[in-house]
Amino acid sequence: MKHVLAIDIGGTKLAAGVVAQDGTIVSKGRVPTDVPKGPEQAIERLNALCRQLMAQAGNPEIAVIGIGCGGPLDPRTGVTLTPPNLPGWEDFPVVARVEKGLGKKAFIDNDANAAVLGEHLFGAGRGYQHLVYLTVSTGVGGGVILDGRLYQGMNGNAAELGHLSMSYDGWPCPCGSKGCIEAFCSGTNIARRARLTASPRLLELAGSREAITTEHVVAAVREGDAAARKVWDDTLEVLGAGVASMINAFNPQRVIIGGGVASVGPLFLEPVARIGLARAMKPLAKGVDVVPAALGDQVGVMGAAAVAFSHL
Ligand SMILES: [Zn+2]
């Protein structure tokens, strides 16, 4: 049984695990990213954690290291570009630093691409050849498997599905475009829109306008609050239209949706699936299912493990 070391680099935590070929996590742990202290120190903490986890696992032979990291990044050079969640990590050679510290070959991909590889190998995408993966969380990310392989595009940054534009003159997005899915449907932006129309019930639940979060919106929707319902329904309408565009673009067998916002369950998934399938072109919508992600909280480490296994 082969083992890999899986590393998940995020804006708040660095998680790692020793993962066996059958998907068993033999050991796992995490340390804070501590972004203000910079990437060099973070990688030192990470490498120390990895040595500890390998010892805990009984020092199995590690075939290769897989890393999932907030993008954008260049998977061929192993260098981060301008990751918005990791300020100070611009043009940082993550792969070279990890390889130097741990003495093993390492491969990296952005966290959403790692996640679709993880779902494909260990989760809801097992056995499928054509997959679209969407994560709706603080941001909105995506990954695509075509013909059984991760679709990376010209420079490894394909499938930025959160920045599909749903409205040519729509809401502004920090990426520079307008009408992007993320700028409307991310957890951050659901909360921002709810604050604009803060209903008495939302204010009561949150305590103040500024304190309103997506969780409050969901709670108010479940209680039948009309203003929260409007914010929620608009979100699902845009996401559903986005899913239809993804089905039309990639002709997948399955659309997998993960992330914190999606984890509210049928209140989220059923309308997005219904709208997405109704709006996609009929021959492409036929036979597609829209399902929740299976890896849940483990997606970071399992995705990174899948990055590693995809190189064996
Ligand atoms: Zn955008």
Side-chain angles (χ1 to χ4, degrees):
M1 176 97 67
K2 285 189 167 128
H3 289 81
V4 298
L5 180 64
I7 294 173
D8 173 29
I9 299 177
T12 54
K13 66 172 179 10
L14 307 163
V18 173
V19 181
Q21 206 163 8
D22 65 357
T24 309
I25 301 177
V26 185
S27 62
K28 62 171 177 172
R30 57 170 64 180
V31 289
T33 308
D34 213 346
V35 163
K37 289 191 182 151
E40 296 284 1
Q41 259 206 41
I43 295 293
E44 272 176 37
R45 277 198 303 284
L46 174 68
N47 287 343
L49 170 71
C50 289
R51 282 184 213 106
Q52 195 187 319
L53 293 173
M54 288 188 286
Q56 260 177 42
N59 285 314
E61 174 67 26
I62 298 294
V64 70
I65 302 171
I67 307 171
C69 178
L73 53 80
D74 188 334
R76 297 158 310 173
T77 59
V79 173
T80 50
L81 300 175
T82 52
N85 296 329
L86 294 162
W89 288 57
E90 291 79 16
D91 301 312
F92 183 73
V94 178
V95 165
R97 290 295 195 278
V98 169
E99 287 180 339
K100 192 174 167 217
L102 299 173
K104 281 280 169 192
K105 182 82 187 139
F107 295 94
I108 194 169
D109 217 315
N110 78 56
D111 44 14
N113 280 351
V116 73
L117 284 169
E119 291 289 344
H120 185 224
L121 195 57
F122 302 116
R126 228 191 288 196
Y128 288 79
Q129 291 292 299
H130 312 287
L131 292 171
V132 166
Y133 171 84
L134 189 66
T135 171
V136 185
S137 182
T138 320
V140 177
V144 170
I145 300 272
L146 295 178
D147 299 321
R149 294 176 62 88
L150 179 70
Y151 176 59
Q152 289 194 303
M154 180 175 73
N155 60 16
N157 289 290
E160 279 289 356
L161 303 179
H163 297 277
L164 290 187
S165 179
M166 308 310 293
S167 166
Y168 75 92
D169 60 350
W171 48 93
C173 180
C175 79
S177 184
K178 290 177 179 174
C180 293
I181 294 177
E182 174 168 296
F184 198 83
C185 301
S186 69
T188 315
N189 282 293
I190 294 169
R192 178 184 58 76
R193 288 187 293 113
R195 283 178 211 128
L196 296 176
T197 55
S199 66
R201 185 61 190 136
L202 274 173
L203 286 171
E204 211 169 57
L205 284 167
S208 73
R209 184 182 288 263
E210 298 68 43
I212 294 173
T213 64
T214 301
E215 286 74 31
H216 297 128
V217 175
V218 170
V221 168
R222 291 196 199 278
E223 292 175 10
D225 182 74
R229 182 92 236 178
K230 172 85 172 95
V231 169
W232 189 245
D233 285 350
D234 288 349
T235 307
L236 304 177
E237 202 66 50
V238 170
L239 274 170
V243 165
S245 298
M246 294 165 207
I247 291 171
N248 289 347
F250 298 111
N251 194 11
Q253 295 159 293
R254 179 164 262 201
V255 177
I256 301 172
I257 310 188
V261 176
S263 72
V264 307
L267 183 69
F268 174 91
L269 199 75
E270 279 173 10
V272 172
R274 178 173 38 78
I275 297 164
L277 293 172
R279 291 183 65 150
M281 294 179 77
K282 296 294 160 284
L284 288 93
K286 199 171 167 222
V288 181
D289 54 3
V290 181
V291 301
L295 298 179
D297 292 345
Q298 305 298 337
V299 68
V301 166
M302 295 305 281
V307 169
F309 284 118
S310 74
H311 287 277
L312 287 183

